[in-house]
Structures are given as C-alpha cells and as structure tokens.
Coordinates of all heavy atoms in Angstrom, one line a residue:
E1 N 106.9 166.5 13.8 CA 106.0 165.9 12.8 C 105.5 167.1 11.9 O 105.4 166.9 10.7 CB 104.9 165.2 13.5 CG 103.9 164.6 12.5 CD 102.8 163.9 13.2 OE1 102.9 163.5 14.3 OE2 101.8 163.7 12.5
Q2 N 105.2 168.2 12.5 CA 104.6 169.3 11.7 C 105.7 169.8 10.7 O 105.4 170.1 9.6 CB 104.1 170.4 12.6 CG 103.5 171.5 11.8 CD 103.0 172.7 12.7 OE1 103.2 172.6 13.9 NE2 102.4 173.6 12.1
A3 N 107.0 169.9 11.3 CA 108.1 170.4 10.4 C 108.3 169.5 9.2 O 108.5 169.9 8.1 CB 109.3 170.5 11.2
V4 N 108.2 168.2 9.5 CA 108.3 167.2 8.4 C 107.2 167.4 7.3 O 107.5 167.4 6.1 CB 108.4 165.8 8.9 CG1 108.3 164.7 7.8 CG2 109.6 165.6 9.8
K5 N 106.0 167.5 7.8 CA 104.9 167.7 6.9 C 105.1 169.0 6.1 O 104.8 169.0 4.9 CB 103.6 167.8 7.6 CG 103.1 166.4 8.1 CD 101.7 166.5 8.7 CE 101.1 165.2 9.1 NZ 99.8 165.3 9.6
L6 N 105.5 170.1 6.7 CA 105.7 171.3 6.0 C 106.8 171.2 4.9 O 106.7 171.6 3.8 CB 106.0 172.5 6.9 CG 104.9 173.0 7.8 CD1 105.4 173.9 8.8 CD2 103.8 173.6 6.9
A7 N 107.9 170.5 5.3 CA 109.0 170.2 4.4 C 108.5 169.4 3.2 O 108.8 169.6 2.0 CB 110.2 169.6 5.1
N8 N 107.8 168.3 3.5 CA 107.2 167.5 2.5 C 106.3 168.3 1.5 O 106.4 168.1 0.3 CB 106.4 166.3 3.1 CG 107.2 165.2 3.6 OD1 108.4 165.1 3.2 ND2 106.6 164.3 4.4
G9 N 105.5 169.1 2.1 CA 104.6 170.0 1.3 C 105.4 170.9 0.3 O 105.1 171.0 -0.8
R10 N 106.5 171.4 0.8 CA 107.4 172.3 0.0 C 108.0 171.5 -1.2 O 108.0 172.0 -2.3 CB 108.4 173.0 0.8 CG 107.9 174.2 1.5 CD 109.0 175.0 2.2 NE 108.7 175.1 3.6 CZ 109.3 174.5 4.6 NH1 110.3 173.8 4.4 NH2 108.9 174.7 5.8
V11 N 108.5 170.3 -0.8 CA 109.2 169.5 -1.9 C 108.1 169.1 -2.9 O 108.4 169.2 -4.1 CB 109.8 168.2 -1.2 CG1 110.3 167.3 -2.3 CG2 111.0 168.6 -0.4
A12 N 107.0 168.5 -2.5 CA 106.0 168.1 -3.4 C 105.5 169.2 -4.2 O 105.2 169.1 -5.4 CB 104.9 167.4 -2.6
N13 N 105.3 170.4 -3.6 CA 104.8 171.6 -4.4 C 105.8 172.0 -5.4 O 105.4 172.3 -6.6 CB 104.5 172.7 -3.4 CG 103.7 173.8 -4.1 OD1 102.7 173.6 -4.7 ND2 104.2 175.0 -4.0
A14 N 107.1 171.9 -5.1 CA 108.1 172.3 -6.1 C 108.0 171.3 -7.3 O 108.1 171.7 -8.5 CB 109.5 172.3 -5.5
I15 N 107.9 170.0 -7.0 CA 107.8 169.0 -8.1 C 106.6 169.3 -9.0 O 106.7 169.3 -10.2 CB 107.7 167.6 -7.5 CG1 109.1 167.3 -6.8 CG2 107.4 166.6 -8.5 CD1 109.0 166.0 -5.9
Y16 N 105.4 169.5 -8.3 CA 104.2 169.8 -9.0 C 104.3 171.1 -9.9 O 104.0 171.0 -11.1 CB 103.0 169.9 -8.1 CG 101.7 170.2 -8.8 CD1 101.0 169.2 -9.3 CD2 101.2 171.5 -8.9 CE1 99.8 169.4 -10.0 CE2 100.1 171.8 -9.6 CZ 99.3 170.7 -10.1 OH 98.2 171.0 -10.8
Q17 N 104.8 172.1 -9.3 CA 105.0 173.4 -10.1 C 105.9 173.3 -11.3 O 105.6 173.8 -12.3 CB 105.4 174.5 -9.1 CG 104.4 174.9 -8.1 CD 103.1 175.4 -8.8 OE1 103.1 176.1 -9.8 NE2 102.0 175.0 -8.2
Q18 N 107.0 172.5 -11.1 CA 107.9 172.3 -12.2 C 107.2 171.6 -13.3 O 107.4 171.9 -14.5 CB 109.1 171.6 -11.7 CG 110.2 171.4 -12.8 CD 111.4 170.6 -12.3 OE1 111.4 170.0 -11.3 NE2 112.5 170.8 -13.0
A19 N 106.5 170.5 -13.0 CA 105.8 169.7 -14.0 C 104.7 170.6 -14.7 O 104.6 170.6 -15.9 CB 105.1 168.5 -13.4
K20 N 104.0 171.4 -13.9 CA 103.0 172.3 -14.5 C 103.6 173.3 -15.4 O 103.1 173.6 -16.5 CB 102.2 172.9 -13.4 CG 101.0 173.7 -13.9 CD 100.2 174.3 -12.7 CE 99.1 175.2 -13.3 NZ 98.3 175.8 -12.2
E21 N 104.7 173.9 -15.0 CA 105.4 175.0 -15.9 C 105.9 174.4 -17.2 O 105.9 175.0 -18.2 CB 106.5 175.6 -15.1 CG 106.0 176.5 -14.0 CD 107.1 177.0 -13.1 OE1 108.3 176.8 -13.4 OE2 106.8 177.6 -12.0
Q22 N 106.3 173.1 -17.1 CA 106.8 172.5 -18.4 C 105.7 172.3 -19.4 O 106.0 172.1 -20.6 CB 107.5 171.2 -18.0 CG 108.8 171.3 -17.3 CD 109.5 170.0 -16.9 OE1 108.8 168.9 -17.0 NE2 110.7 170.0 -16.4
M23 N 104.5 172.3 -18.9 CA 103.4 172.0 -19.9 C 102.9 173.3 -20.5 O 102.1 173.2 -21.4 CB 102.3 171.3 -19.1 CG 102.6 169.9 -18.6 SD 101.2 169.2 -17.8 CE 101.9 167.6 -17.3
G24 N 103.3 174.4 -20.1 CA 102.9 175.6 -20.7 C 101.7 176.2 -20.1 O 101.0 175.6 -19.2
P25 N 101.2 177.4 -20.6 CA 100.1 178.1 -20.0 C 98.7 177.5 -20.3 O 97.8 177.6 -19.5 CB 100.2 179.5 -20.6 CG 100.9 179.3 -21.9 CD 101.8 178.2 -21.7
R26 N 98.6 176.8 -21.4 CA 97.3 176.2 -21.7 C 97.4 174.7 -21.7 O 98.1 174.1 -22.6 CB 96.8 176.7 -23.1 CG 96.5 178.2 -23.1 CD 95.9 178.6 -24.4 NE 95.7 180.0 -24.4 CZ 94.5 180.6 -24.4 NH1 93.4 179.9 -24.4 NH2 94.4 181.9 -24.4
L27 N 96.6 174.1 -20.8 CA 96.7 172.6 -20.7 C 95.6 171.9 -21.4 O 94.5 172.4 -21.5 CB 96.6 172.3 -19.2 CG 97.6 172.9 -18.2 CD1 97.3 172.4 -16.8 CD2 99.0 172.5 -18.6
S28 N 96.0 170.9 -22.1 CA 95.0 170.0 -22.7 C 94.3 169.2 -21.6 O 94.8 169.1 -20.5 CB 95.7 169.1 -23.7 OG 96.5 168.1 -23.1
G29 N 93.3 168.5 -22.0 CA 92.6 167.6 -21.1 C 93.5 166.5 -20.6 O 93.5 166.1 -19.4
E30 N 94.4 166.0 -21.5 CA 95.3 164.9 -21.1 C 96.4 165.5 -20.1 O 96.7 164.8 -19.2 CB 96.0 164.4 -22.4 CG 96.8 163.2 -22.2 CD 97.4 162.7 -23.5 OE1 96.6 162.2 -24.3 OE2 98.6 162.8 -23.7
Q31 N 96.8 166.7 -20.4 CA 97.8 167.3 -19.4 C 97.2 167.5 -18.1 O 97.8 167.3 -17.0 CB 98.3 168.6 -20.0 CG 99.3 168.4 -21.2 CD 99.6 169.7 -21.8 OE1 98.8 170.6 -22.0 NE2 100.9 169.8 -22.2
S32 N 96.0 168.0 -18.0 CA 95.3 168.2 -16.8 C 95.1 166.9 -16.0 O 95.3 166.9 -14.8 CB 93.9 168.9 -17.0 OG 94.0 170.2 -17.5
E33 N 94.8 165.9 -16.7 CA 94.6 164.5 -16.1 C 96.0 164.1 -15.6 O 96.1 163.5 -14.5 CB 94.1 163.5 -17.1 CG 93.9 162.1 -16.6 CD 92.9 162.0 -15.5 OE1 92.1 162.9 -15.2 OE2 92.9 160.9 -14.8
G34 N 97.0 164.3 -16.3 CA 98.4 163.9 -15.9 C 98.7 164.7 -14.6 O 99.3 164.1 -13.7
L35 N 98.4 166.0 -14.5 CA 98.7 166.7 -13.3 C 97.9 166.2 -12.1 O 98.3 166.2 -11.0 CB 98.4 168.2 -13.5 CG 99.5 168.9 -14.3 CD1 99.0 170.4 -14.5 CD2 100.9 168.9 -13.7
R36 N 96.6 165.8 -12.4 CA 95.8 165.3 -11.3 C 96.4 164.0 -10.8 O 96.5 163.8 -9.6 CB 94.4 165.0 -11.8 CG 93.4 164.6 -10.7 CD 92.0 164.1 -11.3 NE 92.2 162.9 -12.1 CZ 92.3 161.7 -11.5 NH1 92.4 161.5 -10.2 NH2 92.4 160.6 -12.3
I37 N 96.9 163.1 -11.7 CA 97.5 161.9 -11.3 C 98.8 162.2 -10.5 O 99.1 161.5 -9.4 CB 97.8 161.0 -12.5 CG1 96.4 160.5 -13.1 CG2 98.7 159.8 -12.1 CD1 96.5 159.9 -14.4
L38 N 99.6 163.1 -10.9 CA 100.8 163.5 -10.2 C 100.5 164.0 -8.8 O 101.1 163.7 -7.9 CB 101.5 164.6 -11.0 CG 102.8 165.2 -10.4 CD1 103.8 164.1 -10.1 CD2 103.4 166.3 -11.2
R39 N 99.4 164.9 -8.7 CA 99.0 165.4 -7.4 C 98.7 164.3 -6.5 O 99.1 164.3 -5.3 CB 97.9 166.4 -7.6 CG 97.6 167.2 -6.4 CD 96.4 168.2 -6.6 NE 96.6 169.1 -7.7 CZ 95.8 169.1 -8.8 NH1 94.7 168.4 -8.8 NH2 96.0 170.0 -9.8
K40 N 97.9 163.3 -7.0 CA 97.5 162.2 -6.1 C 98.8 161.4 -5.7 O 98.9 161.1 -4.5 CB 96.6 161.3 -6.9 CG 96.1 160.1 -6.0 CD 95.1 159.3 -6.8 CE 94.6 158.2 -5.9 NZ 93.8 157.2 -6.6
A41 N 99.7 161.2 -6.6 CA 100.9 160.4 -6.2 C 101.8 161.2 -5.2 O 102.3 160.6 -4.3 CB 101.7 160.1 -7.5
L42 N 101.8 162.5 -5.4 CA 102.6 163.4 -4.5 C 102.0 163.4 -3.1 O 102.7 163.3 -2.1 CB 102.7 164.8 -5.0 CG 103.6 165.0 -6.2 CD1 103.5 166.4 -6.8 CD2 105.1 164.6 -6.0
T43 N 100.7 163.4 -3.0 CA 99.9 163.3 -1.8 C 100.2 162.1 -1.0 O 100.4 162.1 0.2 CB 98.4 163.5 -2.0 OG1 98.2 164.7 -2.7 CG2 97.7 163.5 -0.7
E44 N 100.4 161.0 -1.7 CA 100.6 159.7 -1.1 C 102.1 159.6 -0.7 O 102.4 159.0 0.4 CB 100.3 158.5 -2.1 CG 98.8 158.4 -2.3 CD 98.5 157.4 -3.4 OE1 99.4 156.7 -3.9 OE2 97.3 157.3 -3.7
K45 N 103.0 160.1 -1.5 CA 104.4 160.0 -1.2 C 104.9 161.0 -0.2 O 105.9 160.7 0.6 CB 105.2 160.1 -2.5 CG 106.7 159.9 -2.3 CD 107.5 159.9 -3.6 CE 108.9 159.7 -3.4 NZ 109.7 159.6 -4.6
Y46 N 104.3 162.2 -0.2 CA 104.8 163.2 0.7 C 103.7 163.6 1.7 O 102.9 164.6 1.4 CB 105.2 164.4 -0.1 CG 106.4 164.2 -1.0 CD1 106.3 163.8 -2.3 CD2 107.7 164.3 -0.5 CE1 107.4 163.6 -3.1 CE2 108.8 164.1 -1.3 CZ 108.7 163.7 -2.6 OH 109.7 163.5 -3.4
P47 N 103.6 163.0 2.8 CA 102.6 163.4 3.8 C 102.8 164.9 4.2 O 103.9 165.3 4.5 CB 102.9 162.5 5.0 CG 103.6 161.3 4.5 CD 104.4 161.9 3.3
G48 N 101.7 165.6 4.1 CA 101.8 167.0 4.4 C 101.5 167.8 3.1 O 101.1 169.0 3.2
Y49 N 101.6 167.2 2.0 CA 101.3 167.9 0.7 C 99.8 168.0 0.6 O 99.1 167.1 0.9 CB 101.9 167.2 -0.5 CG 101.5 167.8 -1.8 CD1 101.9 169.1 -2.1 CD2 100.8 167.1 -2.8 CE1 101.6 169.7 -3.3 CE2 100.5 167.7 -4.0 CZ 100.9 169.0 -4.3 OH 100.6 169.5 -5.5
Q50 N 99.4 169.2 0.3 CA 98.0 169.6 0.2 C 97.2 169.6 1.5 O 96.0 169.6 1.6 CB 97.2 168.7 -0.8 CG 97.7 168.9 -2.2 CD 96.7 168.6 -3.3 OE1 96.1 167.5 -3.3 NE2 96.4 169.5 -4.1
D51 N 98.0 169.6 2.6 CA 97.4 169.9 3.9 C 97.2 171.4 4.0 O 97.6 172.1 3.2 CB 98.3 169.5 5.1 CG 98.3 167.9 5.3 OD1 97.5 167.2 4.6 OD2 99.1 167.5 6.2
S52 N 96.5 171.8 5.0 CA 96.4 173.3 5.2 C 97.7 173.8 5.6 O 98.1 173.7 6.7 CB 95.3 173.6 6.3 OG 94.1 173.0 5.9
A53 N 98.4 174.3 4.6 CA 99.8 174.7 4.8 C 99.9 175.8 5.9 O 99.3 176.8 5.9 CB 100.4 175.3 3.5
G54 N 100.8 175.5 6.8 CA 101.1 176.4 7.9 C 100.1 176.5 9.0 O 100.2 177.2 9.9
V55 N 99.0 175.8 8.8 CA 97.9 175.8 9.8 C 98.1 174.6 10.7 O 97.9 173.5 10.2 CB 96.5 175.8 9.2 CG1 95.4 175.8 10.2 CG2 96.4 177.0 8.3
P56 N 98.5 174.8 11.9 CA 98.7 173.6 12.8 C 97.3 172.9 13.0 O 96.3 173.5 13.1 CB 99.3 174.2 14.0 CG 99.0 175.6 14.0 CD 98.7 176.0 12.6
E57 N 97.5 171.6 13.2 CA 96.3 170.8 13.5 C 95.9 171.0 15.0 O 96.8 171.3 15.8 CB 96.6 169.3 13.3 CG 96.8 168.9 11.8 CD 97.2 167.5 11.7 OE1 96.9 166.7 12.6 OE2 97.8 167.2 10.7
K58 N 94.7 170.9 15.3 CA 94.3 171.1 16.7 C 94.8 169.9 17.5 O 94.7 168.7 17.1 CB 92.7 171.1 16.8 CG 92.2 171.4 18.2 CD 90.7 171.5 18.2 CE 90.3 171.8 19.6 NZ 88.9 171.9 19.7
T59 N 95.5 170.2 18.6 CA 96.0 169.2 19.4 C 95.0 168.5 20.2 O 94.1 169.1 20.8 CB 97.1 169.8 20.4 OG1 98.0 170.6 19.6 CG2 97.8 168.8 21.2
S60 N 95.0 167.2 20.2 CA 94.0 166.4 21.0 C 94.2 166.5 22.5 O 95.4 166.8 22.9 CB 94.0 164.9 20.5 OG 95.2 164.3 21.0
V61 N 93.2 166.3 23.2 CA 93.3 166.3 24.7 C 94.3 165.2 25.2 O 95.1 165.5 26.0 CB 91.9 166.1 25.3 CG1 92.1 165.9 26.9 CG2 91.0 167.2 25.0
E62 N 94.3 164.1 24.5 CA 95.2 163.0 24.9 C 96.6 163.4 24.7 O 97.5 163.1 25.5 CB 94.9 161.7 24.0 CG 93.6 161.1 24.3 CD 92.4 161.7 23.6 OE1 92.6 162.5 22.7 OE2 91.3 161.4 24.0
T63 N 96.9 164.1 23.6 CA 98.3 164.6 23.3 C 98.7 165.6 24.4 O 99.8 165.6 24.9 CB 98.4 165.2 21.9 OG1 98.1 164.1 21.0 CG2 99.8 165.7 21.6
L64 N 97.8 166.5 24.7 CA 98.1 167.5 25.7 C 98.4 166.9 27.1 O 99.4 167.3 27.7 CB 96.9 168.5 25.9 CG 96.7 169.5 24.7 CD1 95.4 170.3 24.9 CD2 97.9 170.4 24.6
V65 N 97.6 166.0 27.5 CA 97.8 165.3 28.8 C 99.1 164.5 28.8 O 99.9 164.6 29.7 CB 96.6 164.3 29.1 CG1 96.9 163.4 30.3 CG2 95.4 165.1 29.3
R66 N 99.4 163.8 27.7 CA 100.7 163.1 27.6 C 101.9 164.0 27.7 O 102.8 163.8 28.4 CB 100.7 162.3 26.3 CG 102.0 161.4 26.1 CD 102.2 160.8 24.8 NE 102.5 161.9 23.8 CZ 101.9 162.1 22.7 NH1 100.9 161.4 22.3 NH2 102.3 163.1 21.9
D67 N 101.8 165.2 26.9 CA 102.9 166.1 26.9 C 103.1 166.8 28.3 O 104.2 167.0 28.8 CB 102.7 167.2 25.8 CG 102.9 166.6 24.4 OD1 103.4 165.5 24.3 OD2 102.6 167.3 23.5
L68 N 102.0 167.1 28.9 CA 102.1 167.8 30.3 C 102.6 166.8 31.3 O 103.4 167.1 32.2 CB 100.7 168.3 30.7 CG 100.3 169.6 29.9 CD1 98.8 169.9 30.2 CD2 101.2 170.7 30.2
T69 N 102.2 165.5 31.2 CA 102.7 164.5 32.1 C 104.2 164.3 31.9 O 104.9 164.2 32.9 CB 102.0 163.1 31.8 OG1 100.6 163.3 32.0 CG2 102.5 162.1 32.8
K70 N 104.7 164.3 30.7 CA 106.1 164.2 30.5 C 106.8 165.5 31.0 O 107.9 165.3 31.6 CB 106.4 164.2 29.0 CG 106.2 162.8 28.3 CD 106.6 162.9 26.9 CE 106.2 161.6 26.1 NZ 106.5 161.8 24.7
A71 N 106.2 166.6 30.9 CA 106.9 167.9 31.4 C 107.0 167.9 32.9 O 108.0 168.3 33.4 CB 106.0 169.1 30.9
V72 N 106.0 167.3 33.6 CA 106.1 167.3 35.0 C 107.2 166.4 35.5 O 107.9 166.8 36.5 CB 104.7 166.7 35.6 CG1 104.8 166.4 37.1 CG2 103.6 167.7 35.4
D73 N 107.6 165.4 34.8 CA 108.6 164.5 35.2 C 110.0 164.9 34.6 O 111.0 164.2 34.8 CB 108.3 163.0 34.7 CG 107.1 162.5 35.5 OD1 106.8 162.9 36.6 OD2 106.4 161.7 34.9
D74 N 110.1 166.0 33.9 CA 111.3 166.4 33.3 C 112.2 167.2 34.3 O 111.8 168.3 34.7 CB 111.0 167.3 32.1 CG 112.2 167.6 31.3 OD1 113.4 167.6 31.8 OD2 112.1 168.0 30.1
P75 N 113.3 166.7 34.7 CA 114.2 167.3 35.7 C 114.6 168.7 35.2 O 114.8 169.6 36.0 CB 115.4 166.4 35.9 CG 115.0 165.2 35.2 CD 113.9 165.4 34.3
K76 N 114.9 168.9 33.9 CA 115.3 170.2 33.4 C 114.2 171.2 33.7 O 114.5 172.4 34.1 CB 115.7 170.1 32.0 CG 116.9 169.3 31.7 CD 117.1 169.3 30.2 CE 118.3 168.3 29.8 NZ 118.4 168.2 28.4
L77 N 113.0 170.9 33.4 CA 111.9 171.8 33.6 C 111.7 172.1 35.1 O 111.6 173.2 35.5 CB 110.6 171.2 33.0 CG 109.4 172.1 33.1 CD1 109.6 173.4 32.4 CD2 108.2 171.4 32.6
F78 N 111.9 171.1 35.9 CA 111.7 171.3 37.3 C 112.8 172.2 37.8 O 112.5 173.2 38.6 CB 111.9 169.9 38.1 CG 111.7 170.0 39.5 CD1 110.5 170.2 40.1 CD2 112.9 170.0 40.4 CE1 110.4 170.3 41.5 CE2 112.8 170.1 41.7 CZ 111.5 170.3 42.3
R79 N 114.0 172.1 37.4 CA 115.1 173.0 37.8 C 114.9 174.4 37.4 O 115.1 175.4 38.1 CB 116.5 172.5 37.3 CG 117.0 171.3 38.1 CD 118.5 171.1 37.8 NE 118.7 170.8 36.4 CZ 118.7 169.6 35.8 NH1 118.4 168.5 36.6 NH2 118.9 169.4 34.5
S80 N 114.3 174.6 36.1 CA 114.1 175.9 35.6 C 113.0 176.6 36.4 O 113.0 177.8 36.6 CB 113.8 175.9 34.1 OG 112.5 175.3 33.9
L81 N 112.0 175.9 36.9 CA 110.9 176.4 37.6 C 111.4 176.8 39.0 O 110.8 177.8 39.6 CB 109.7 175.5 37.7 CG 109.0 175.2 36.4 CD1 107.9 174.1 36.6 CD2 108.3 176.5 35.9
R82 N 112.3 176.1 39.6 CA 112.8 176.5 40.9 C 113.5 177.8 40.9 O 113.6 178.5 41.9 CB 113.8 175.4 41.4 CG 113.2 174.2 41.9 CD 114.1 173.2 42.6 NE 115.5 173.6 42.7 CZ 116.5 172.7 42.8 NH1 116.2 171.5 42.7 NH2 117.7 173.2 42.9
R83 N 114.0 178.2 39.8 CA 114.7 179.5 39.7 C 113.8 180.7 39.7 O 114.2 181.8 39.8 CB 115.6 179.5 38.4 CG 116.7 178.5 38.5 CD 117.6 178.6 37.2 NE 118.4 177.4 37.2 CZ 118.8 176.9 36.1 NH1 118.6 177.5 34.9 NH2 119.6 175.8 36.1
L84 N 112.5 180.5 39.4 CA 111.6 181.6 39.3 C 111.2 182.2 40.6 O 111.2 181.8 41.7 CB 110.3 181.1 38.6 CG 110.5 180.7 37.2 CD1 109.1 180.2 36.6 CD2 111.0 181.8 36.3

C-alpha cells in the first residue's frame, strides 16, 4: 500500500509540475486558481499525493497484532526459525 501511495505521489507530482512549468515563472490569479483545482483533482485521483512523502504512517496496534498472528502461522517463518 505504501509503495502504491509513493508511486501515485510521484505520478501526480510530475503532472502538477509539468502544468506549473507550462504557465511560466509568474502566475496570474487565474493560473494559481487553476493549479489549486488541479492539485485537488490529483489528490482525489492519486491517493498518496500530498501525503508526507516517504514518511511511513504509524502502524496501528490492530495491524501489528494481525501481522504477528499471520507470522506465527506461517510455515516458512517457522522453518527459518528452526535453523537458528
């Protein structure tokens, strides 16, 4: 999920930067408003855009318990631990 969000963020950021560069260095009020609308649309279409890039979200206790429970029942993990 995090990898998808990061990829979405990169794609959306590239789209936004391309649009911004096409408008030139000095934006009019109308252009700024257009970029704001674009940013909002990109945020809706690409989950992960404008998230804290590269900063993982804090894992919930429920997720940790679920993942650890799955790990306990994983035969591959069990076999790898027997080798230690």
Side-chain angles (χ1 to χ4, degrees):
E1 182 181 336
Q2 183 181 4
V4 172
K5 284 185 174 183
L6 289 171
N8 280 343
R10 280 188 233 111
V11 169
N13 192 53
I15 293 168
Y16 179 82
Q17 290 302 321
Q18 183 179 20
K20 186 176 177 183
E21 287 172 12
Q22 289 176 352
M23 293 182 184
R26 294 186 183 250
L27 302 179
S28 68
E30 189 175 293
Q31 288 173 318
S32 293
E33 178 66 13
L35 286 176
R36 188 189 65 75
I37 292 167
L38 175 62
R39 191 177 307 118
K40 183 177 179 187
L42 291 171
T43 301
E44 292 171 7
K45 185 173 180 178
Y46 296 95
Y49 178 58
Q50 293 208 306
D51 283 356
S52 300
V55 178
E57 296 176 19
K58 185 175 180 181
T59 306
S60 69
V61 173
E62 292 82 13
T63 300
L64 288 172
V65 169
R66 184 189 71 232
D67 290 348
L68 289 171
T69 302
K70 284 182 187 177
V72 167
D73 296 329
D74 186 341
K76 291 178 188 176
L77 180 60
F78 180 76
R79 285 192 300 270
S80 72
L81 291 175
R82 282 192 357 212
R83 295 180 195 154
L84 297 177

